[in-house]
Amino acid sequence: MESTSRKRRPLVIAVAIAVLLLGGWAAKVWFGAAPINVLLLGLDEGKTRTDVVVLAHLEPRQGLITLLSLPRDTLVEIDCTGLSDACVSPDKLAHAHAYGGEQGARVAVETVERLLGVKIDHYVRADFEGFRQVVDILGGVDLVIDQDMHYEDPYADPPLAIHFEASDQPQHLDGQRALEFVRYRGATGDIGRTERTKQFLVALARKAKETQSLVRLPAVVRTGLAYVDTDIDASTALSMATSALRADLDLVQMETLPGWDDPNHPRGWVWVPDEEAVAEVVDRLILNPQRPSAEPESGAEE
């Protein structure tokens, strides 16, 4: 089970590519527009199930981006009407897209709407073969890696050989090394990946805003579009790419859907949502997000 889970595609790929593609469009609605919810979907190696599901909330008036990560094994209710004969409910969130076939994105959107009680305005569905190219076009990213990260799986496709040494100095990652960083799951799997995902996303977004990177954005968008399916007009994203990412990246908030694991469920290992805690995090990140309070400086008086 653990070996299989480690093969899963990384959460951050879908997020990073989607933000790059959506950034210009987001900037277009940044001034005075209503908040908007975009569901980011990253497909697994078979391109049928979702390995990655993230709800991105854009709050134009406050200049905020908040992200809610939904583990692929989250136990959800799926409306099986008109879907595959194999469809059962409840089941894992990852299976909703597969049951939908060609309508997989719609089924995934409706399933998350039912789970969270929110309206989703758009979706972005990503296959990430272009991930390395996107990172390399931007010139790579610089990250402080605060823990040793070692893992090998010769049975993965492609085989995994991940080796990072902790350092308090930024380490430069090209596309291949960045892919290794985001594929690393550690002992806590999906649940422990959230902070690393945010770290990488913010680093990539900062790089995209640099002058030397902005001139490459059209190439980034062209590369990414080959691997992204969305109901958002792509020409708008391309035409406004140089105005992307108007949010204050220091204020990006990202959390994982609260719940607990149940290894003995009839559908296998599942992540059971904590309904009360889910309602609280949805209100705080999606319905009524607030700018985080500044932390007091060290040594400041009470």
Side-chain angles (χ1 to χ4, degrees):
M1 175 66 182
E2 181 64 19
S3 176
T4 300
S5 68
R6 288 183 185 274
K7 298 177 185 178
R8 296 171 184 165
R9 296 291 189 174
L11 165 68
V12 71
I13 293 178
V15 177
I17 291 178
V19 168
L20 286 171
L21 294 175
L22 288 175
W25 167 80
K28 181 178 180 181
V29 301
W30 202 258
F31 300 100
I36 193 162
N37 297 321
V38 181
L39 191 65
L40 310 176
L41 305 168
L43 303 184
D44 65 9
E45 293 176 357
K47 302 182 182 181
T48 55
R49 297 173 299 180
T50 50
D51 178 56
V52 168
V53 181
V54 176
L55 181 60
H57 178 78
L58 309 178
E59 188 76 24
R61 294 184 179 89
Q62 296 194 63
L64 292 176
I65 295 178
T66 55
L67 304 166
L68 180 59
S69 170
L70 287 73
R72 56 171 285 148
D73 294 323
T74 300
L75 188 66
V76 295
E77 296 291 338
I78 302 171
D79 183 357
C80 292
T81 305
L83 303 185
S84 164
D85 292 339
C87 183
V88 297
S89 182
D91 201 354
K92 299 181 180 183
L93 176 57
H95 296 167
H97 183 278
Y99 291 148
E102 294 182 357
Q103 298 298 314
R106 176 186 62 80
V107 175
V109 166
E110 292 176 354
T111 300
V112 173
E113 287 181 331
R114 188 178 304 110
L115 171 67
L116 302 181
V118 300
K119 178 72 171 70
I120 294 173
D121 302 291
H122 297 286
Y123 74 87
V124 175
R125 180 170 51 186
D127 177 9
F128 11 81
E129 295 303 320
F131 174 73
R132 283 186 291 265
Q133 294 94 314
V134 169
V135 175
D136 286 336
I137 286 173
L138 289 173
V141 295
D142 298 306
L143 292 171
V144 174
I145 299 175
D146 61 4
Q147 62 175 303
D148 292 338
M149 299 166 59
H150 299 288
Y151 178 72
E152 293 189 6
D153 183 357
Y155 300 104
D157 183 19
L160 279 174
I162 299 173
H163 297 286
F164 291 98
E165 301 292 339
S167 173
D168 58 1
Q169 298 299 314
Q171 301 185 43
H172 184 76
L173 308 185
D174 62 11
Q176 175 59 37
R177 291 289 279 164
L179 183 60
E180 294 168 4
F181 177 80
V182 298
R183 291 192 74 182
Y184 181 79
R185 295 165 54 85
T188 53
D190 284 328
I191 308 308
R193 270 196 311 192
T194 300
E195 187 58 35
R196 261 196 324 276
T197 295
K198 175 185 172 183
Q199 179 189 8
F200 180 84
L201 171 59
V202 170
L204 189 65
R206 288 191 191 283
K207 195 60 181 286
K209 294 179 71 173
E210 294 177 2
T211 302
Q212 64 177 15
S213 294
L214 286 176
V215 299
R216 298 188 179 100
L217 278 182
V220 172
V221 172
R222 285 195 300 271
T223 300
L225 282 175
Y227 300 95
V228 169
D229 169 54
T230 179
D231 60 353
I232 298 170
D233 182 76
S235 64
T236 302
L238 180 60
S239 67
M240 301 195 67
T242 54
S243 300
L245 303 175
R246 309 289 294 194
D248 185 340
L249 298 178
D250 291 325
L251 300 181
V252 172
Q253 302 173 70
M254 184 171 188
E255 297 185 27
T256 299
L257 188 79
W260 62 86
D261 63 296
D262 180 358
N264 300 313
H265 193 274
R267 301 304 295 167
W269 191 99
V270 297
W271 183 252
V272 182
D274 181 329
E275 294 185 7
E276 183 175 342
V278 167
E280 187 276 331
V281 78
V282 167
D283 181 75
R284 180 163 44 81
L285 288 185
I286 309 300
L287 298 178
N288 298 292
Q290 302 295 321
R291 297 175 71 87
S293 300
E295 295 184 1
E297 296 183 4
S298 178
E301 295 183 2
E302 296 292 336

